[in-house]
Amino acid sequence: QVQFVESGGGLVQPGGSLRLSCAASGIFFRISAMGWYRQSLGNQREAVATIGSSGAAIYADSVKGRFAISRDNAKNTVYLQMNMLKAEDTAVYYCNTGHNPLPNWGQGTQVTVSS
């Protein structure tokens, strides 16, 4: 059974940092590209960052230079380090496989950037 469990969200002031974690199960994690996605109120879900099985990463233009995606294949876990957070980063963040996400979405983790 495919499952993604996200954690690490919270309330942070503009300019602050958060580190999100996502534990994946039911997939061949080591050979899977993994991605972080987000959905803000009234908007469609969008891809934020993707990391390939080799560790190569790509980012949405809106987060380049501020966010960093990484993975730990031994733990079947993908991370998203978010720095210099802005109000427009406020959203529910989800992880899934990269490029072609599976229909099994987790509950996500809420990130709120506000003073």
Side-chain angles (χ1 to χ4, degrees):
Q1 181 179 357
V2 176
Q3 190 173 20
F4 302 105
V5 180
E6 301 91 348
S7 62
L11 173 63
V12 62
Q13 292 186 343
S17 298
L18 281 174
R19 189 191 192 210
L20 307 184
S21 299
C22 171
S25 58
I27 63 171
F28 292 104
F29 186 89
R30 185 177 297 272
I31 62 171
S32 298
M34 296 298 298
W36 280 98
Y37 304 80
R38 68 185 181 187
Q39 186 170 20
S40 56
L41 204 59
N43 293 314
Q44 290 189 335
R45 196 169 335 198
E46 61 174 350
V48 174
T50 302
I51 185 167
S53 57
S54 64
I58 57 174
Y59 299 93
D61 287 343
S62 58
V63 306
K64 276 181 184 175
R66 301 188 298 121
F67 289 12
I69 188 171
S70 61
R71 63 190 295 158
D72 185 338
N73 289 339
K75 296 181 179 180
N76 282 14
T77 299
V78 60
Y79 304 97
L80 186 68
Q81 178 66 44
M82 306 187 295
N83 300 322
M84 297 180 286
L85 283 161
K86 306 176 181 179
E88 50 263 44
D89 295 319
T90 295
V92 179
Y93 284 71
Y94 304 87
C95 77
N96 204 311
T97 53
H99 307 304
N100 295 298
L102 298 172
N104 317 61
W105 293 92
Q107 81 289 349
T109 186
Q110 175 71 48
V111 171
T112 302
V113 184
S114 175
S115 55

